[in-house]
Amino acid sequence: MTLIARRSPRRWGPLVAAALFASAVAGPAVPGSAAVEEDTTQTGLQTAAADVTNADGLETLVSDYETRVPTEYTADSWAPFAEALTTATDVVEADSASESEVAEAKTELQTAAADLELLQSTFATITNNTFWRDTAGDPIYSQGGGVFKFGDTYYWYGVHYRGAESYLANPTQKYDNQVTFVSIPVYSSQDLVNWKFENNVATTSTSLGSLGGTMGNAGWIGRLGVAYNENTGKYVLPVQMWHPTQDHGVLFLQGNSPTGAFTFGNFQKQVVNSPTTGTGDQTVFTDEDGQDYLIFSNREGRSRAFVSKLRASDSLMAEPAVEIGRNGDGREGNAMFKLDGKYYMSASDLHGWNTSVNYVIESTQGRVQGDYTDYYTMPGTQMDYSHVTQTGFFVTVKGTVRDTVIYAGDRWADFAWNGIGYNQWVPITKEGTGIRFHSMSQWQFNATTGEFRVAPGNNYILNPDIQADRIIVSNVVGWTRTGSSGVTNVNGGANGSRFALQVSNGAGVRQQIQVPAGTYTLGLYTKGSGRVTVAGADGKAYTLNVPSSSGWAKRELTGIALSAGTATVTVTGGSGNLVADQFSLVRQGGADPGSATRYEAEGSGATCTGAIDGNHSGYSGTGFCNGDNTDSAYAEFTVQATAAGTATLNLRYANGGTTGRPGDLIVNGTRVETTPFGSTGAWNTWTTQTVTVQLRAGANTVRWDPTTANGLPNIDYLDVAQASG
Ligand code: GCU
Ligand code: CA
């Protein structure tokens, strides 16, 4: 392997970016000119690069790829990449490079980068039912978009709506119609789990070009994707727009780099063969050969599903559409993926961001615009309405071991208060001759090999929060009535959630799920009295008798030994009604609980921003940490690990307040998740919260930063168990 001589990366400072901006107004910026040569920091690049030329887009790409380290990749994949990088560098440095030379260098560099093979790969954890944050700890506001791979990097584009901020700040009410457009953010990731905020590629001040005005004047912006055009070397972003004076249509923006500013390209009111202007819902699908398509339904009724090629010359228009599916009821959230040579177009029920099963049609001749089957229900989406989501988009990962499609579900629901978190991602795999949706609350994914596994914190119960139906029903989805009546969902769930399950005296429901062998803990919130039974495939049953309470109380049953196979959870009402919510059935696994090391909150290795109290019984050691009620009152533990690797954290806490007291979990300075710390009903009712983290050998800091002014719950101890082997 020959290592190419690499020049030191040239970076743009704010001064240079300002100069580029000025020259973009006066005429094209000349890369390699004296002004651009200035070597300062990269600060200001992404926000100030308002209208750079395509050559500057290539320069951005080159300076990004110059950060790759050869020792991390196979020699075979590094050689062509190094060559493409040299060529691209030469094009950047040649002042006279033509537009087509720039486009070619971009395409070649990205193609070689896409083929880079990492020597080592790791699993990263995806935790659903939480509000996701980026690598800087800021909330990810990205709805109705898509993830696209350019080179070796995944880019996630979507819309930031104002209502998303309201819902995150207070998720105990609805925020209907708060879809005011804020921006189109882009995040980047190598593992599809850790996302770095890059830029807002479009904002309310992005010009609508010849249409006049800006994107801030539009009445609706949503449902977008990004395609790379090999001919122009530009990235094209089609987005649905409704504009009070321009009608419905598809707005095409374009940019020179995946993360730079996108500017007006075209506005297409109607795609030929579609019966109406605009689109119903739409996404962008990129085939394995690089051809990009707009996938959409017709705007009114949404009964017809279309595939439309983006035109080859510049991708700024959708060619005449081909109808591939039809259903009288209407289908929305239309999105496509390809698995094992077959195309699948999936959609949800037509009822305004409601959750539903996924309806899918599949190609019968392996042609994207060819014949498709009728709609059928995707297996695995029935019991919890696709993990309580509407179809968002799909990410197809071609791994070294297997191909896996990630279903990126959309639980924004117009901010309609049907669960925590906007993005619920789960894997879809081939199963026999069909496909299967694997509903999991927590799982681990290896973006290199394409493999996934259930994460230790997974809740095996489906529709555990009774949020899937969204209307009052007498057959709660996922929960089968054991009798003919006496079951309903009711308004007013635990911890400010919208719904709970109600079973009247003697009536009951049952859920059957597949579990691996292990010892499990059942948790739930209850009002009234009754019982919950968990029986394993071997028939051995464990019963939690729920004593009567008038307010919500957290209940727990530990030590449930289940054999592998079908487990049955039965909920039965006692005298009066039993109201139950926030069920969890979590395996006490991933690590041997016996080998856990306990760190008491009052111990010397811990920091408590508050007082060590002893006034609420049931704690271990000599007291617990009662943190101050402010958002700065963190709790921190110094934890020793014998080797680097996975560890299971069990934090014991009590929260006698009525709402959750979420805290950001920060391990060695990096945020892992927001732990919800739901109410336990009373200050002397203790429970444990389980999280899986990566620790390094030696000392580690594990810290929870409260995200609200209520501070953290009372904290008793942290148990740390390292995974064996
Ligand atoms: C009560 C309770 C404390 C708790 C506090 C809180 O005062 O006794 O233990 O920490 O509420 O709301 O944080
Ligand atoms: Ca407190």
Side-chain angles (χ1 to χ4, degrees):
M1 185 185 75
T2 29
L3 252 186
I4 54 153
R6 297 197 291 152
R7 72 197 176 99
S8 64
R10 184 165 61 201
R11 306 212 183 276
W12 297 335
L15 234 181
V16 178
L20 279 176
F21 182 78
S23 61
V25 175
V30 185
S33 72
V36 186
E37 219 55 271
E38 198 163 316
D39 201 5
T40 54
T41 70
Q42 203 164 1
T43 330
L45 169 67
Q46 280 130 4
T47 45
D51 200 13
V52 294
T53 70
N54 207 12
D56 300 326
L58 179 61
E59 169 145 10
T60 306
L61 207 64
V62 165
S63 50
D64 177 14
Y65 281 119
E66 279 176 333
T67 64
R68 304 299 184 272
V69 180
T71 49
E72 290 178 1
Y73 303 93
T74 61
D76 284 356
S77 70
W78 182 263
F81 167 74
E83 215 178 296
L85 188 58
T86 309
T87 310
T89 307
D90 290 347
V91 174
V92 166
E93 284 170 353
D95 295 356
S96 56
S98 69
E99 283 289 297
S100 64
E101 281 168 335
V102 168
E104 203 180 313
K106 265 187 177 173
T107 306
E108 267 168 24
L109 180 52
Q110 292 189 111
T111 308
D115 291 340
L116 276 175
E117 259 177 61
L118 279 167
L119 285 167
Q120 273 190 35
S121 65
T122 50
F123 281 86
T125 303
I126 294 185
T127 304
N128 289 321
N129 311 299
T130 57
F131 291 105
W132 291 2
R133 294 188 179 250
D134 64 17
T135 50
D138 294 321
I140 292 181
Y141 294 125
S142 181
Q143 195 223 341
V147 167
F148 299 88
K149 196 175 187 195
F150 300 124
D152 67 351
T153 305
Y154 292 97
Y155 294 93
W156 182 8
Y157 303 85
V159 179
H160 174 178
Y161 293 111
R162 190 62 75 197
E165 297 167 27
S166 314
Y167 190 65
L168 173 66
N170 179 9
T172 60
Q173 67 175 76
K174 280 151 72 66
Y175 297 90
D176 283 349
N177 300 317
Q178 289 198 24
V179 286
T180 303
F181 170 67
V182 179
S183 66
I184 298 177
V186 58
Y187 299 86
S188 69
S189 175
Q190 309 281 337
D191 62 8
L192 287 160
V193 176
N194 295 291
W195 293 97
K196 174 176 177 270
F197 173 75
E198 294 281 356
N199 192 15
N200 288 312
V201 299
T203 65
T204 52
S205 51
T206 298
S207 163
L208 288 179
S210 53
L211 302 180
T214 66
M215 285 177 77
N217 303 127
W220 161 257
I221 294 284
R223 303 278 177 192
L224 59 94
V226 178
Y228 172 71
N229 184 283
E230 284 79 4
N231 194 43
T232 59
K234 290 177 194 277
Y235 305 82
V236 174
L237 185 156
V239 56
Q240 218 178 42
M241 178 168 85
W242 176 73
H243 189 285
T245 62
Q246 301 294 334
D247 198 353
H248 295 270
V250 182
L251 170 69
F252 291 82
L253 302 175
Q254 63 177 344
N256 295 312
S257 109
T259 56
F262 277 59
T263 57
F264 180 81
N266 189 22
F267 180 62
Q268 183 178 7
K269 273 192 195 170
Q270 192 160 358
V271 182
V272 174
N273 296 335
S274 170
T276 51
T277 57
T279 57
D281 276 348
Q282 61 169 48
T283 46
V284 169
F285 169 68
T286 303
D287 207 347
E288 285 155 343
D289 61 3
Q291 176 65 54
D292 305 294
Y293 300 87
L294 194 68
I295 308 298
F296 66 100
S297 55
N298 54 305
R299 182 165 53 79
E300 272 156 17
R302 299 177 191 186
S303 56
R304 297 161 68 175
F306 294 102
V307 176
S308 181
K309 243 187 204 171
L310 296 188
R311 79 173 168 207
S313 60
D314 58 8
S315 302
L316 287 173
M317 205 185 90
E319 288 182 355
V322 175
E323 184 174 323
I324 58 167
R326 195 180 277 227
N327 183 284
D329 294 341
R331 298 279 181 251
E332 63 180 23
N334 318 77
M336 182 169 271
F337 62 94
K338 190 179 188 182
L339 192 54
D340 209 13
K342 266 189 196 169
Y343 298 90
Y344 297 83
M345 206 273 316
S346 181
S348 66
D349 261 337
L350 173 65
H351 45 180
W353 263 318
N354 248 357
T355 70
S356 78
V357 299
N358 257 259
Y359 300 100
V360 65
I361 55 177
E362 67 179 70
S363 66
T364 53
Q365 300 137 330
R367 285 177 41 228
V368 64
Q369 292 175 316
D371 290 351
Y372 282 78
T373 62
D374 283 339
Y375 282 97
Y376 63 89
T377 299
M378 193 191 296
T381 64
Q382 299 100 326
M383 278 175 70
D384 62 357
Y385 286 164
S386 317
H387 207 81
V388 194
T389 64
Q390 180 178 57
T391 329
F393 57 87
F394 297 96
V395 192
T396 302
V397 178
K398 298 195 78 65
T400 52
V401 174
R402 68 185 297 173
D403 292 349
T404 297
V405 169
I406 295 180
Y407 166 89
D410 181 334
R411 197 191 282 173
W412 299 64
D414 210 2
F415 317 109
W417 187 24
N418 60 342
I420 299 298
Y422 305 124
N423 306 289
Q424 317 295 328
W425 290 12
V426 306
I428 291 176
T429 53
K430 283 283 287 182
E431 200 179 76
T433 55
I435 52 171
R436 175 160 285 275
F437 177 102
H438 303 269
S439 185
M440 287 178 278
S441 69
Q442 197 185 56
W443 56 293
Q444 293 173 338
F445 185 60
N446 185 321
T448 304
T449 64
E451 297 165 294
F452 71 88
R453 58 191 185 207
V454 182
N458 182 54
N459 177 5
Y460 284 85
I461 293 186
L462 299 173
N463 191 16
D465 302 325
I466 325 294
Q467 305 273 20
D469 290 291
R470 292 189 60 203
I471 48 168
I472 299 299
V473 291
S474 55
N475 280 306
V476 177
V477 75
W479 299 90
T480 309
R481 279 202 316 247
T482 54
S484 58
S485 62
V487 177
T488 182
N489 51 349
V490 288
N491 286 304
N495 297 311
S497 68
R498 191 158 160 209
F499 294 109
L501 172 73
Q502 179 177 297
V503 286
S504 60
N505 188 2
V509 289
R510 182 182 64 216
Q511 179 172 109
Q512 295 198 305
I513 45 183
Q514 300 303 313
V515 297
T519 306
Y520 289 77
T521 298
L522 169 78
L524 73 159
Y525 285 81
T526 58
K527 286 199 290 192
S529 66
R531 63 179 190 280
V532 184
T533 301
V534 185
D538 59 3
K540 203 162 175 236
Y542 298 80
T543 298
L544 169 71
N545 284 308
V546 178
S548 183
S549 70
S550 54
W552 284 112
K554 167 106 202 207
R555 310 290 178 192
E556 204 176 77
L557 184 64
T558 55
I560 304 171
L562 297 177
S563 51
T566 306
T568 307
V569 181
T570 311
V571 185
T572 313
S575 56
N577 293 327
L578 172 67
V579 186
D581 197 11
Q582 300 188 340
F583 289 84
S584 63
L585 186 66
V586 177
R587 195 165 170 231
Q588 300 167 351
D592 171 8
S595 69
T597 306
R598 180 156 301 174
Y599 299 87
E600 293 285 354
E602 69 276 21
S604 57
T607 307
C608 167
T609 315
I612 302 299
D613 285 352
N615 57 333
H616 302 300
S617 61
Y619 55 83
S620 110
T622 57
F624 57 85
C625 169
N626 165 3
D628 296 340
N629 298 51
T630 76
D631 65 3
S632 56
Y634 66 90
E636 187 173 282
F637 296 85
T638 303
V639 160
Q640 299 296 329
T642 49
T646 307
T648 302
L649 305 182
N650 271 300
L651 187 81
R652 190 162 191 261
Y653 77 94
N655 175 4
T658 51
T659 57
R661 295 230 179 145
D664 282 339
L665 167 59
I666 318 280
V667 176
N668 297 324
T670 302
R671 184 188 162 280
V672 176
E673 64 154 36
T674 303
T675 312
F677 297 129
S679 167
T680 58
W683 291 108
N684 56 10
T685 304
W686 299 87
T687 192
T688 50
Q689 189 86 47
T690 308
V691 192
T692 311
V693 297
Q694 300 300 319
L695 295 182
R696 59 187 177 212
N700 293 264
T701 57
V702 174
R703 155 181 176 149
W704 274 272
D705 273 338
T707 66
T708 74
N710 288 335
L712 291 172
N714 290 344
I715 291 177
D716 187 15
Y717 61 71
L718 176 69
D719 270 353
V720 181
Q722 284 189 261
S724 41

